[in-house]
Amino acid sequence: MAAKILVVDDDPNVQRLLQYTLKQEGYEVVVASDGAEGFRLWDQESPDLILLDVMLPKLDGYQVATKIRTEEGTTTHVPIIMLTAEREVEQKVRGLRAGADDYLIKPFHPAELIARIKSLLARFAPRDALVGRPPLGRVHALYGAKGGVGTTTIAINAAIALHRELGRKVCLVDGNLQFGDHRVFLDLGLDKKSIVDIVTAPAMDQDLIRQVLVKHDSGIDLLLAPPSPETAELVTPEHLPAIIDNLRSLYDYVLIDIDKRLDDVNLGVLENADTMFVVMTADLSCLKNVRLVLETIGHLGYSASKIQLVLNRSNAFTGINVKNAEGALKRTIDHQIVNEYRGAISALNSGAPFMFTKADSLLGRSLLEFARLVDKQSAGAAAAVPAR
């Protein structure tokens, strides 16, 4: 059965264009010319997805999205794509916080619209349509060869890309237990629950873990680090492997952002991870650290295939190119992410990850390519290996 899409836009030309584009793809289309009618047709027609203009008579797009999210409760969720001519980040964030799942700036290419529609329809498919597709259950640890190489930025935005762009169910774990930055980078307060609420409970199970996880506006789930350094001592080397085992059965991907110490806690994470992504930059001190990490991991008996190198800021001028770096390390660099330092810092300081608000930026496209490669490799590996 063709998916039904509700188009809410007061411009007749836009209505005709969207109707033609969507019907060419085989979708059923319902049209509303103002916000009040759009809200009424959502209730009456039960569409599978809504294309919602921001500037509408009677009720604007923000109001419509908010009313829909309030009325539908927690049992259903219709995907909403906001359409606007505004390019300001504040407008995007306002739309996403009102309940939109995605954002398109006019004018947009029809191919991009269709791709985003298909991604959202797949992500929010009814649960019964996903019978026979268990979670991938892939666990990936992201490890920075030294401080400041962008490990946390990559972890956060890769998680969002895997969820929003590829339709995967993702949990992001802040494994930097003493000085985790996810609260700051994602604009979350100290009042949010953390891993401490799990490890101090009388018993650990999936229901408890679900209650502690924090839902981010982007749609990913978060397990936050302790709110203060001293409480990090409550997390023992035995805790994280047990938590990972529970999360693996709930999510397609569990991404764990760990600090650079190879202590018992982090080694426990690496033991249970399917892949260790070592994030690096092309400078001498970092190359030295990567070489030591590779040697240490090898001495511990891990296969070289478990480790993948991620060169961040790959196009930054450091005097050491990719070929030289690979020669020094005597191995191939598996992934490269471009340098757009100003955009990355701006996103961190605003608490709005660039894959959430500026996915179409140069940095966003580079990160999406990384996420796609990870997803392709992980899906292939999951299909080849029996479930744990």
Side-chain angles (χ1 to χ4, degrees):
M1 183 180 296
K4 182 188 294 184
I5 297 180
L6 171 60
V7 174
V8 189
D9 199 300
D10 62 333
D11 186 332
N13 293 324
V14 174
Q15 290 179 5
R16 284 192 292 270
L17 175 62
L18 291 176
Q19 279 185 297
Y20 175 79
T21 301
L22 296 171
K23 287 182 176 179
Q24 286 287 100
E25 291 291 322
Y27 296 116
E28 180 183 347
V29 184
V30 181
V31 178
S33 298
D34 61 63
E37 184 184 12
F39 180 72
R40 179 180 63 79
L41 287 178
W42 160 76
D43 185 50
Q44 180 179 309
E45 297 288 339
S46 299
D48 298 292
L49 183 141
I50 301 174
L51 297 179
L52 181 60
D53 189 32
V54 169
M55 301 302 293
L56 293 167
K58 298 185 179 179
L59 292 174
D60 64 31
Y62 305 121
Q63 293 172 308
V64 174
T66 301
K67 284 174 66 69
I68 288 174
R69 293 294 179 241
T70 302
E71 290 290 325
E72 68 184 359
T74 58
T75 57
T76 60
H77 183 97
V78 58
I80 298 174
I81 300 178
M82 284 276 199
L83 307 177
T84 181
E86 294 288 340
R87 293 182 174 272
E88 295 297 324
V89 171
E90 292 78 7
Q91 301 300 321
K92 290 184 181 182
V93 172
R94 183 182 174 190
L96 294 166
R97 286 181 173 170
D101 299 284
D102 209 341
Y103 214 96
L104 268 178
I105 298 173
K106 300 177 183 177
F108 48 80
H109 195 285
E112 182 182 8
L113 172 66
I114 296 301
R116 290 177 182 264
I117 287 173
K118 289 181 177 179
S119 174
L120 285 174
L121 288 175
R123 190 193 314 166
F124 293 104
R127 187 172 297 275
D128 56 1
L130 298 177
V131 172
R133 191 198 117 182
L136 289 176
R138 308 301 288 178
V139 177
H140 297 318
L142 289 96
Y143 172 90
K146 72 172 188 177
V149 296
T151 312
T152 297
T153 295
I154 291 174
I156 290 172
N157 288 282
I160 294 173
L162 286 166
H163 176 64
R164 292 182 62 82
E165 303 297 332
L166 302 179
R168 298 301 191 180
K169 191 173 183 183
V170 181
C171 180
L172 175 63
V173 180
D174 191 348
N176 190 338
L177 299 176
Q178 283 191 311
F179 299 101
D181 286 324
H182 291 201
R183 291 177 190 270
V184 176
F185 289 179
L186 294 169
D187 195 22
L188 301 170
L190 292 175
D191 59 324
K192 301 294 184 183
K193 291 184 177 180
S194 77
I195 190 172
V196 171
D197 295 280
I198 296 176
V199 302
T200 56
M204 181 192 304
D205 56 30
Q206 289 186 356
D207 288 337
L208 170 66
I209 292 173
R210 285 193 184 99
Q211 293 170 17
V212 172
L213 294 175
V214 176
K215 175 72 75 174
H216 185 251
D217 290 341
S218 65
I220 65 172
D221 289 332
L222 306 168
L223 179 57
L224 297 173
S228 60
E230 61 270 17
T231 53
E233 297 179 0
L234 297 171
V235 184
T236 68
E238 292 76 27
H239 283 135
L240 271 171
I243 293 170
I244 291 169
D245 194 49
N246 279 281
L247 292 175
R248 187 189 288 276
S249 63
L250 298 174
Y251 291 90
D252 292 316
Y253 290 104
V254 180
L255 302 187
I256 309 175
D257 175 17
I258 61 177
D259 62 36
K260 62 181 184 297
R261 295 174 300 174
L262 289 176
D263 57 9
D264 289 342
V265 172
N266 284 344
L267 289 175
V269 171
L270 297 180
E271 175 69 28
N272 287 271
D274 297 293
T275 308
M276 175 185 181
F277 292 97
V278 178
V279 182
M280 55 178 287
T281 51
D283 59 82
L284 284 176
S285 63
C286 195
L287 290 174
K288 179 264 296 180
N289 286 0
V290 172
R291 189 172 64 250
L292 292 174
V293 168
L294 293 175
E295 291 175 358
T296 302
I297 294 299
H299 292 326
L300 291 171
Y302 293 111
S303 166
S305 62
K306 183 167 183 168
I307 313 239
Q308 295 193 24
L309 302 184
V310 182
L311 178 60
N312 194 21
R313 305 168 197 150
S314 60
N315 58 333
F317 179 75
T318 62
I320 302 174
N321 59 32
V322 175
K323 186 176 180 180
N324 291 337
E326 291 179 332
L329 297 172
K330 295 182 173 58
R331 65 162 289 165
T332 302
I333 290 173
D334 303 277
H335 308 278
Q336 298 181 42
I337 296 173
V338 301
N339 180 45
E340 194 185 340
Y341 189 73
R342 183 177 299 177
I345 289 297
S346 175
L348 294 180
N349 289 337
S350 67
F354 57 81
M355 282 306 303
F356 187 32
T357 58
K358 292 184 178 180
D360 57 346
S361 65
L362 176 63
L363 188 54
R365 292 195 299 272
S366 180
L367 210 294
L368 177 56
E369 182 180 356
F370 167 67
R372 282 177 173 152
L373 286 171
V374 171
D375 186 58
K376 183 178 179 180
Q377 293 171 355
S378 301
V385 178
R388 294 175 183 242

